[in-house]
Amino acid sequence: MDRVLMFIATGAGSGYLPVAPGTWGSAVGVLLWLALSRLEAIPYLAVVAVLFVLGVFGAGAAEKIVDRPDPSIVVIDEIVGQLITLCFAPPHPAAPVAGFFLFRFFDILKPFPAGWIDRHLHGGLGIMLDDVVAGLYALLTLHLGYWLLKML
């Protein structure tokens, strides 16, 4: 069971890639989005919700298995955050690229309440929630940017 939980937590092993595992996890999120992007809203959101719940359990277990809080190999949070960012992505080929960079920006910056969550909530839920917030910020920014560009 530990192997399954680590597989989930590390984003199918992408968290073990060298240098910036969160960026690799975000890239896996974009690839997964490409596979899911044709789904209707309800099934897409259901997949994201299932991955979030699996991520809470997987990330929490990974912390115990490697005996470190929020270990860098855990990237399921970036995958879910990236999928949130790209929810209902604008119909433009630049949208996934912009979404990738926006999510990484907000994931690193951690604007309130993401930073507060990162510092005060622990375990799998804390690991996942700050990236959910970063994903929501990136989602809003992506759509606002697209709307503004359409207005030009």
Side-chain angles (χ1 to χ4, degrees), residues 2-87:
D2 285 354
R3 292 175 86 99
V4 171
L5 291 169
M6 288 300 289
F7 182 80
I8 292 166
T10 63
S14 62
Y16 293 114
L17 292 170
V19 186
T23 300
W24 289 110
S26 292
V28 169
V30 172
L31 292 175
L32 186 54
W33 173 80
L34 288 170
L36 300 173
S37 63
R38 302 244 187 242
L39 292 177
E40 296 292 326
I42 299 300
Y44 181 91
L45 294 173
V47 169
V48 173
V50 167
L51 287 175
F52 175 81
V53 171
L54 289 173
V56 168
F57 288 109
E63 275 191 322
K64 292 179 177 112
I65 292 166
V66 301
D67 196 27
R68 272 184 293 158
D70 198 358
S72 62
I73 60 171
V74 172
V75 296
I76 187 64
D77 50 336
E78 277 83 11
I79 293 169
V80 169
Q82 194 68 69
L83 290 173
I84 290 169
T85 298
L86 295 172
C87 279

Coordinates of all heavy atoms in Angstrom, one line a residue, residues 2-87:
D2 N 2.0 1.2 0.7 CA 2.9 2.4 0.7 C 3.4 2.7 -0.7 O 3.5 3.9 -1.0 CB 4.1 2.1 1.6 CG 3.8 2.2 3.1 OD1 2.7 2.6 3.4 OD2 4.7 1.9 3.9
R3 N 3.6 1.7 -1.5 CA 4.1 1.9 -2.9 C 3.0 2.7 -3.7 O 3.3 3.6 -4.5 CB 4.5 0.6 -3.6 CG 5.7 0.0 -3.0 CD 5.9 -1.4 -3.6 NE 6.7 -1.2 -4.8 CZ 8.0 -1.5 -4.9 NH1 8.6 -1.8 -3.9 NH2 8.6 -1.3 -6.1
V4 N 1.8 2.3 -3.5 CA 0.7 2.9 -4.2 C 0.5 4.4 -3.8 O 0.4 5.3 -4.6 CB -0.7 2.2 -4.0 CG1 -1.9 3.0 -4.6 CG2 -0.6 0.8 -4.6
L5 N 0.6 4.6 -2.5 CA 0.5 6.0 -1.9 C 1.7 6.9 -2.4 O 1.5 8.0 -2.7 CB 0.4 5.9 -0.4 CG -0.9 5.4 0.1 CD1 -0.8 5.1 1.6 CD2 -2.1 6.2 -0.2
M6 N 2.9 6.3 -2.4 CA 4.0 7.1 -2.9 C 3.9 7.3 -4.4 O 4.3 8.4 -4.9 CB 5.3 6.3 -2.6 CG 5.7 6.3 -1.1 SD 5.9 8.0 -0.5 CE 7.4 8.5 -1.3
F7 N 3.3 6.4 -5.2 CA 3.1 6.6 -6.6 C 2.2 7.8 -6.8 O 2.4 8.6 -7.7 CB 2.6 5.3 -7.2 CG 2.3 5.4 -8.7 CD1 3.4 5.2 -9.6 CD2 1.1 5.6 -9.2 CE1 3.2 5.3 -11.0 CE2 0.9 5.7 -10.6 CZ 1.9 5.5 -11.5
I8 N 1.1 7.8 -6.1 CA 0.2 8.9 -6.1 C 0.8 10.2 -5.7 O 0.8 11.2 -6.4 CB -1.1 8.6 -5.3 CG1 -1.9 7.5 -5.9 CG2 -1.9 9.9 -5.1 CD1 -2.9 6.9 -4.9
A9 N 1.5 10.2 -4.5 CA 2.1 11.4 -4.0 C 3.1 12.0 -4.9 O 3.3 13.2 -5.0 CB 2.6 11.1 -2.6
T10 N 3.9 11.2 -5.5 CA 5.0 11.6 -6.4 C 4.6 11.9 -7.8 O 5.5 12.1 -8.7 CB 6.2 10.7 -6.3 OG1 5.8 9.4 -6.8 CG2 6.8 10.5 -4.9
G11 N 3.3 11.8 -8.1 CA 2.9 12.1 -9.4 C 3.4 11.1 -10.4 O 4.1 11.5 -11.4
A12 N 3.2 9.8 -10.1 CA 3.8 8.7 -11.0 C 5.3 8.7 -11.1 O 5.9 8.3 -12.1 CB 3.1 8.7 -12.3
G13 N 5.9 9.2 -10.0 CA 7.4 9.2 -10.0 C 8.0 10.5 -10.4 O 9.2 10.7 -10.3
S14 N 7.2 11.5 -11.0 CA 7.8 12.7 -11.5 C 8.4 13.5 -10.4 O 9.3 14.3 -10.6 CB 6.7 13.5 -12.2 OG 5.7 13.9 -11.4
G15 N 8.0 13.3 -9.1 CA 8.6 14.1 -8.0 C 10.0 13.7 -7.7 O 10.8 14.4 -7.0
Y16 N 10.5 12.6 -8.3 CA 11.9 12.1 -8.1 C 12.8 12.7 -9.2 O 14.0 12.5 -9.1 CB 11.9 10.6 -8.2 CG 11.3 9.9 -7.1 CD1 10.1 9.1 -7.3 CD2 11.8 9.9 -5.8 CE1 9.5 8.4 -6.3 CE2 11.1 9.3 -4.7 CZ 10.0 8.5 -5.0 OH 9.4 7.8 -4.0
L17 N 12.3 13.4 -10.2 CA 13.1 14.0 -11.2 C 14.0 15.1 -10.6 O 13.6 15.8 -9.7 CB 12.3 14.6 -12.4 CG 11.5 13.5 -13.2 CD1 10.5 14.1 -14.1 CD2 12.5 12.6 -14.0
P18 N 15.2 15.2 -11.1 CA 16.1 16.2 -10.5 C 15.8 17.6 -10.8 O 15.2 17.9 -11.8 CB 17.5 15.8 -11.1 CG 17.1 15.2 -12.4 CD 15.8 14.5 -12.2
V19 N 16.1 18.5 -9.8 CA 15.9 19.9 -10.0 C 14.4 20.3 -10.1 O 13.8 19.9 -11.1 CB 16.7 20.5 -11.1 CG1 16.7 22.0 -11.1 CG2 18.2 20.1 -11.0
A20 N 13.9 21.1 -9.2 CA 12.6 21.6 -9.2 C 11.5 20.6 -9.4 O 10.7 20.6 -10.4 CB 12.5 22.7 -10.3
P21 N 11.3 19.7 -8.5 CA 10.3 18.7 -8.7 C 8.9 19.2 -8.8 O 8.0 18.7 -9.5 CB 10.4 17.8 -7.4 CG 11.2 18.5 -6.5 CD 12.0 19.5 -7.3
G22 N 8.6 20.4 -8.2 CA 7.3 21.0 -8.3 C 7.0 21.4 -9.7 O 5.8 21.4 -10.2
T23 N 8.0 21.9 -10.4 CA 7.8 22.3 -11.8 C 7.6 21.0 -12.7 O 6.7 21.1 -13.6 CB 9.1 23.0 -12.3 OG1 9.3 24.2 -11.5 CG2 9.0 23.4 -13.8
W24 N 8.2 19.9 -12.4 CA 8.0 18.7 -13.1 C 6.5 18.2 -12.8 O 5.8 17.8 -13.7 CB 8.9 17.6 -12.7 CG 10.3 17.8 -13.2 CD1 11.4 18.1 -12.5 CD2 10.8 17.7 -14.6 NE1 12.5 18.2 -13.3 CE2 12.1 18.0 -14.6 CE3 10.1 17.5 -15.8 CZ2 12.9 18.0 -15.8 CZ3 10.9 17.5 -17.0 CH2 12.2 17.7 -16.9
G25 N 6.1 18.3 -11.6 CA 4.7 18.0 -11.2 C 3.7 18.8 -12.0 O 2.7 18.3 -12.4
S26 N 4.0 20.1 -12.1 CA 3.1 21.0 -12.8 C 3.1 20.6 -14.3 O 2.0 20.6 -14.9 CB 3.6 22.5 -12.7 OG 3.4 22.9 -11.4
A27 N 4.2 20.2 -14.9 CA 4.3 19.7 -16.3 C 3.4 18.5 -16.4 O 2.7 18.3 -17.4 CB 5.7 19.5 -16.7
V28 N 3.5 17.6 -15.5 CA 2.6 16.4 -15.5 C 1.1 16.8 -15.5 O 0.3 16.3 -16.2 CB 2.9 15.4 -14.4 CG1 1.9 14.3 -14.2 CG2 4.3 14.8 -14.6
G29 N 0.8 17.8 -14.6 CA -0.5 18.4 -14.6 C -1.0 18.9 -15.9 O -2.2 18.7 -16.3
V30 N -0.1 19.6 -16.7 CA -0.5 20.1 -18.0 C -0.7 18.9 -18.9 O -1.7 18.9 -19.7 CB 0.6 21.0 -18.6 CG1 0.3 21.4 -20.0 CG2 0.6 22.3 -17.7
L31 N 0.1 17.9 -18.9 CA -0.1 16.7 -19.7 C -1.4 16.0 -19.4 O -2.1 15.5 -20.3 CB 1.1 15.7 -19.6 CG 2.4 16.2 -20.1 CD1 3.6 15.2 -19.8 CD2 2.4 16.5 -21.6
L32 N -1.7 15.9 -18.1 CA -2.9 15.3 -17.7 C -4.1 16.1 -18.2 O -5.1 15.6 -18.7 CB -3.0 15.1 -16.2 CG -4.1 14.3 -15.6 CD1 -4.3 12.9 -16.3 CD2 -4.0 14.1 -14.1
W33 N -4.0 17.4 -18.1 CA -5.0 18.3 -18.6 C -5.3 18.1 -20.1 O -6.4 18.0 -20.5 CB -4.7 19.8 -18.3 CG -5.6 20.7 -19.0 CD1 -6.9 21.1 -18.5 CD2 -5.5 21.4 -20.2 NE1 -7.5 21.9 -19.4 CE2 -6.7 22.1 -20.5 CE3 -4.5 21.4 -21.2 CZ2 -6.8 22.9 -21.6 CZ3 -4.6 22.2 -22.3 CH2 -5.8 22.9 -22.5
L34 N -4.2 17.9 -20.8 CA -4.4 17.6 -22.3 C -5.2 16.4 -22.5 O -6.0 16.3 -23.4 CB -3.0 17.5 -23.0 CG -2.2 18.7 -23.1 CD1 -0.8 18.4 -23.6 CD2 -2.9 19.7 -24.1
A35 N -5.1 15.4 -21.7 CA -5.8 14.1 -21.8 C -7.3 14.3 -21.3 O -8.2 13.7 -21.8 CB -5.2 13.0 -21.0
L36 N -7.5 15.3 -20.4 CA -8.8 15.4 -19.8 C -9.6 16.6 -20.4 O -10.8 16.8 -20.1 CB -8.7 15.7 -18.3 CG -8.1 14.6 -17.5 CD1 -7.9 15.0 -16.0 CD2 -8.9 13.3 -17.5
S37 N -9.0 17.4 -21.2 CA -9.6 18.7 -21.6 C -10.8 18.6 -22.4 O -11.6 19.6 -22.5 CB -8.5 19.6 -22.3 OG -8.1 18.9 -23.5
R38 N -11.1 17.5 -23.0 CA -12.3 17.3 -23.8 C -13.5 16.8 -23.0 O -14.6 16.7 -23.5 CB -12.0 16.3 -24.9 CG -10.9 16.7 -25.8 CD -11.4 16.9 -27.2 NE -10.2 17.1 -28.1 CZ -10.1 18.3 -28.7 NH1 -10.9 19.2 -28.6 NH2 -9.0 18.4 -29.5
L39 N -13.2 16.6 -21.7 CA -14.4 16.2 -20.8 C -15.3 17.4 -20.6 O -14.9 18.5 -20.5 CB -13.8 15.7 -19.5 CG -13.1 14.4 -19.4 CD1 -12.6 14.1 -18.0 CD2 -13.9 13.2 -19.9
E40 N -16.5 17.1 -20.3 CA -17.5 18.1 -19.9 C -17.1 18.5 -18.5 O -16.3 17.9 -17.8 CB -18.9 17.5 -19.9 CG -19.4 17.1 -21.3 CD -19.6 18.3 -22.2 OE1 -20.0 19.4 -21.7 OE2 -19.4 18.2 -23.4
A41 N -17.7 19.6 -18.0 CA -17.3 20.2 -16.7 C -17.5 19.3 -15.6 O -16.6 19.1 -14.7 CB -18.2 21.5 -16.5
I42 N -18.6 18.6 -15.4 CA -18.8 17.7 -14.2 C -17.8 16.6 -14.2 O -17.2 16.4 -13.1 CB -20.3 17.3 -14.2 CG1 -21.3 18.4 -14.1 CG2 -20.5 16.3 -13.0 CD1 -21.1 19.3 -12.9
P43 N -17.6 15.8 -15.2 CA -16.6 14.7 -15.2 C -15.2 15.3 -14.9 O -14.5 14.7 -14.1 CB -16.7 14.0 -16.5 CG -18.0 14.4 -17.1 CD -18.4 15.7 -16.5
Y44 N -14.9 16.4 -15.5 CA -13.6 17.0 -15.3 C -13.4 17.4 -13.8 O -12.4 17.0 -13.2 CB -13.4 18.3 -16.2 CG -12.0 18.9 -16.0 CD1 -11.0 18.5 -16.8 CD2 -11.8 19.9 -15.0 CE1 -9.7 19.1 -16.7 CE2 -10.5 20.4 -14.9 CZ -9.5 20.1 -15.7 OH -8.2 20.6 -15.6
L45 N -14.3 18.1 -13.3 CA -14.3 18.5 -11.8 C -14.3 17.2 -10.9 O -13.6 17.2 -9.9 CB -15.4 19.4 -11.5 CG -15.3 20.8 -12.2 CD1 -16.5 21.6 -11.9 CD2 -14.0 21.5 -11.8
A46 N -15.0 16.2 -11.3 CA -15.0 14.9 -10.5 C -13.6 14.3 -10.5 O -13.1 13.9 -9.4 CB -16.0 14.0 -11.1
V47 N -12.9 14.3 -11.6 CA -11.5 13.8 -11.7 C -10.6 14.6 -10.8 O -9.9 14.1 -10.0 CB -11.0 13.8 -13.1 CG1 -9.5 13.5 -13.2 CG2 -11.7 12.7 -14.0
V48 N -10.8 15.9 -10.8 CA -10.0 16.8 -10.0 C -10.3 16.5 -8.5 O -9.3 16.4 -7.7 CB -10.2 18.3 -10.4 CG1 -9.4 19.2 -9.4 CG2 -9.7 18.6 -11.8
A49 N -11.5 16.4 -8.2 CA -11.9 16.1 -6.8 C -11.3 14.8 -6.3 O -10.8 14.7 -5.2 CB -13.4 16.1 -6.6
V50 N -11.4 13.8 -7.1 CA -10.9 12.4 -6.8 C -9.4 12.5 -6.6 O -8.8 12.0 -5.6 CB -11.3 11.4 -7.8 CG1 -10.4 10.1 -7.6 CG2 -12.7 11.1 -7.8
L51 N -8.7 13.2 -7.5 CA -7.2 13.4 -7.3 C -6.9 14.2 -6.1 O -5.9 13.9 -5.4 CB -6.6 14.1 -8.6 CG -6.6 13.2 -9.8 CD1 -6.1 14.0 -11.0 CD2 -5.7 12.0 -9.6
F52 N -7.7 15.2 -5.7 CA -7.5 15.9 -4.5 C -7.6 15.0 -3.3 O -6.7 15.0 -2.4 CB -8.5 17.1 -4.4 CG -8.4 17.8 -3.1 CD1 -7.4 18.8 -2.9 CD2 -9.2 17.5 -2.0 CE1 -7.3 19.4 -1.7 CE2 -9.1 18.1 -0.8 CZ -8.1 19.1 -0.6
V53 N -8.6 14.2 -3.2 CA -8.8 13.3 -2.1 C -7.7 12.3 -2.0 O -7.1 12.0 -1.0 CB -10.2 12.6 -2.1 CG1 -10.3 11.5 -1.1 CG2 -11.3 13.6 -2.0
L54 N -7.3 11.7 -3.2 CA -6.2 10.8 -3.2 C -4.9 11.5 -2.8 O -4.1 10.9 -2.1 CB -6.0 10.2 -4.6 CG -7.1 9.2 -5.1 CD1 -6.9 8.8 -6.5 CD2 -7.1 7.9 -4.2
G55 N -4.8 12.7 -3.2 CA -3.6 13.5 -2.9 C -3.5 13.8 -1.4 O -2.4 13.7 -0.9
V56 N -4.6 14.0 -0.8 CA -4.5 14.3 0.7 C -4.0 13.0 1.4 O -3.1 13.1 2.2 CB -5.9 14.6 1.2 CG1 -6.0 14.6 2.8 CG2 -6.4 16.0 0.7
F57 N -4.5 11.9 1.0 CA -4.1 10.6 1.6 C -2.6 10.3 1.2 O -1.8 9.9 2.0 CB -5.0 9.4 1.3 CG -6.3 9.5 2.0 CD1 -7.5 9.8 1.3 CD2 -6.4 9.3 3.4 CE1 -8.7 9.9 1.9 CE2 -7.6 9.4 4.0 CZ -8.8 9.7 3.3
G58 N -2.3 10.4 -0.1 CA -1.0 10.1 -0.6 C 0.1 11.0 0.0 O 1.1 10.6 0.5
A59 N -0.2 12.3 0.0 CA 0.8 13.3 0.6 C 1.0 13.1 2.1 O 2.1 13.1 2.6 CB 0.3 14.7 0.3
G60 N -0.1 12.8 2.8 CA 0.0 12.6 4.2 C 0.8 11.3 4.5 O 1.7 11.3 5.4
A61 N 0.6 10.3 3.7 CA 1.3 9.0 3.9 C 2.8 9.3 3.5 O 3.7 8.8 4.2 CB 0.7 7.9 3.0
A62 N 3.1 10.0 2.5 CA 4.5 10.2 2.0 C 5.2 11.0 3.1 O 6.4 10.7 3.4 CB 4.5 11.0 0.7
E63 N 4.6 11.9 3.8 CA 5.3 12.6 4.9 C 5.8 11.6 6.0 O 6.9 11.7 6.5 CB 4.3 13.6 5.6 CG 4.2 14.9 5.0 CD 3.5 15.9 5.9 OE1 2.5 15.5 6.5 OE2 3.9 17.1 5.9
K64 N 4.9 10.7 6.3 CA 5.3 9.7 7.3 C 6.3 8.7 6.8 O 7.2 8.3 7.5 CB 4.0 8.9 7.7 CG 3.0 9.8 8.5 CD 1.8 9.1 8.9 CE 0.9 9.9 9.7 NZ -0.3 10.3 9.1
I65 N 6.2 8.3 5.5 CA 7.1 7.3 4.9 C 8.5 7.9 4.9 O 9.5 7.2 5.2 CB 6.6 6.8 3.5 CG1 5.3 6.0 3.7 CG2 7.7 6.1 2.8 CD1 4.6 5.8 2.4
V66 N 8.7 9.1 4.4 CA 10.0 9.7 4.3 C 10.4 10.5 5.5 O 11.5 10.9 5.6 CB 10.2 10.6 3.0 CG1 9.9 9.8 1.8 CG2 9.3 11.8 3.1
D67 N 9.5 10.6 6.5 CA 9.7 11.2 7.8 C 10.2 12.7 7.6 O 11.2 13.1 8.3 CB 10.7 10.4 8.6 CG 10.7 10.8 10.1 OD1 9.7 11.3 10.6 OD2 11.8 10.6 10.7
R68 N 9.5 13.4 6.8 CA 9.8 14.8 6.6 C 8.5 15.5 6.3 O 7.7 15.0 5.5 CB 10.7 15.1 5.3 CG 12.2 15.0 5.7 CD 13.0 15.3 4.5 NE 12.8 14.2 3.5 CZ 13.0 14.3 2.2 NH1 13.4 15.4 1.7 NH2 12.8 13.3 1.5
P69 N 8.3 16.7 6.8 CA 7.1 17.5 6.5 C 7.1 18.0 5.1 O 8.2 18.5 4.6 CB 7.0 18.6 7.5 CG 8.5 18.8 8.0 CD 9.1 17.4 7.8
D70 N 6.0 17.9 4.3 CA 5.9 18.4 3.0 C 7.2 18.2 2.1 O 7.8 19.1 1.6 CB 5.6 19.9 3.0 CG 5.0 20.4 1.7 OD1 4.9 19.6 0.7 OD2 4.7 21.6 1.6
P71 N 7.5 16.9 1.9 CA 8.7 16.6 1.2 C 8.6 17.0 -0.3 O 7.5 17.0 -0.9 CB 8.8 15.0 1.3 CG 7.5 14.6 1.6 CD 6.8 15.7 2.4
S72 N 9.7 17.4 -0.8 CA 9.7 18.0 -2.2 C 9.3 16.9 -3.2 O 8.9 17.3 -4.3 CB 11.1 18.6 -2.5 OG 12.1 17.6 -2.5
I73 N 9.5 15.7 -2.9 CA 9.1 14.6 -3.9 C 7.6 14.5 -4.1 O 7.1 14.0 -5.1 CB 9.7 13.2 -3.5 CG1 9.2 12.8 -2.2 CG2 11.2 13.2 -3.6 CD1 9.5 11.3 -1.8
V74 N 6.8 15.1 -3.2 CA 5.4 15.1 -3.3 C 5.0 16.2 -4.2 O 5.2 17.4 -4.0 CB 4.7 15.3 -1.9 CG1 3.2 15.5 -2.0 CG2 5.0 14.1 -1.0
V75 N 4.4 15.8 -5.4 CA 4.0 16.7 -6.4 C 2.5 16.6 -6.8 O 2.1 17.3 -7.7 CB 4.9 16.7 -7.6 CG1 6.3 17.0 -7.3 CG2 4.9 15.3 -8.3
I76 N 1.8 15.7 -6.2 CA 0.4 15.5 -6.5 C -0.4 16.9 -6.3 O -1.3 17.2 -6.9 CB -0.3 14.4 -5.7 CG1 -1.7 14.1 -6.2 CG2 -0.2 14.6 -4.2 CD1 -1.9 13.7 -7.6
D77 N 0.1 17.7 -5.3 CA -0.5 19.0 -5.1 C -0.3 19.9 -6.2 O -1.2 20.6 -6.6 CB 0.1 19.6 -3.8 CG 1.6 19.6 -3.7 OD1 2.3 18.8 -4.3 OD2 2.1 20.5 -2.9
E78 N 0.9 19.9 -6.9 CA 1.1 20.7 -8.1 C 0.2 20.2 -9.2 O -0.3 21.0 -10.0 CB 2.6 20.7 -8.5 CG 3.4 21.7 -7.8 CD 3.9 21.2 -6.4 OE1 3.8 20.0 -6.1 OE2 4.5 22.0 -5.7
I79 N 0.1 18.9 -9.4 CA -0.8 18.3 -10.4 C -2.2 18.8 -10.3 O -2.8 19.3 -11.2 CB -0.7 16.8 -10.5 CG1 0.8 16.4 -10.8 CG2 -1.7 16.2 -11.4 CD1 1.1 14.9 -10.6
V80 N -2.7 18.7 -9.1 CA -4.1 19.2 -8.8 C -4.2 20.7 -9.0 O -5.2 21.2 -9.6 CB -4.6 18.7 -7.4 CG1 -5.9 19.4 -7.1 CG2 -4.7 17.2 -7.4
G81 N -3.3 21.4 -8.5 CA -3.3 22.9 -8.7 C -3.2 23.3 -10.1 O -3.9 24.2 -10.6
Q82 N -2.5 22.6 -10.9 CA -2.4 22.9 -12.4 C -3.7 22.5 -13.0 O -4.2 23.3 -13.9 CB -1.3 22.1 -13.0 CG -0.9 22.5 -14.4 CD -0.3 23.9 -14.4 OE1 0.9 24.1 -13.9 NE2 -1.0 24.9 -14.9
L83 N -4.4 21.4 -12.7 CA -5.7 21.1 -13.2 C -6.7 22.1 -12.9 O -7.6 22.4 -13.7 CB -6.1 19.7 -12.8 CG -5.3 18.5 -13.3 CD1 -5.7 17.2 -12.7 CD2 -5.4 18.4 -14.9
I84 N -6.6 22.7 -11.7 CA -7.6 23.7 -11.3 C -7.3 25.0 -12.1 O -8.2 25.6 -12.6 CB -7.4 24.0 -9.8 CG1 -8.0 22.9 -8.9 CG2 -8.1 25.3 -9.4 CD1 -7.7 22.9 -7.5
T85 N -6.0 25.3 -12.3 CA -5.7 26.5 -13.1 C -6.3 26.4 -14.5 O -6.8 27.3 -15.1 CB -4.1 26.6 -13.2 OG1 -3.6 26.8 -11.9 CG2 -3.7 27.7 -14.2
L86 N -6.3 25.2 -15.1 CA -6.7 25.0 -16.5 C -8.1 24.6 -16.6 O -8.6 24.3 -17.7 CB -5.8 24.0 -17.1 CG -4.3 24.4 -17.3 CD1 -3.4 23.3 -17.8 CD2 -4.2 25.7 -18.2
C87 N -8.9 24.6 -15.5 CA -10.3 24.4 -15.6 C -10.9 25.4 -16.5 O -10.7 26.6 -16.4 CB -11.0 24.6 -14.2 SG -10.9 23.2 -13.1

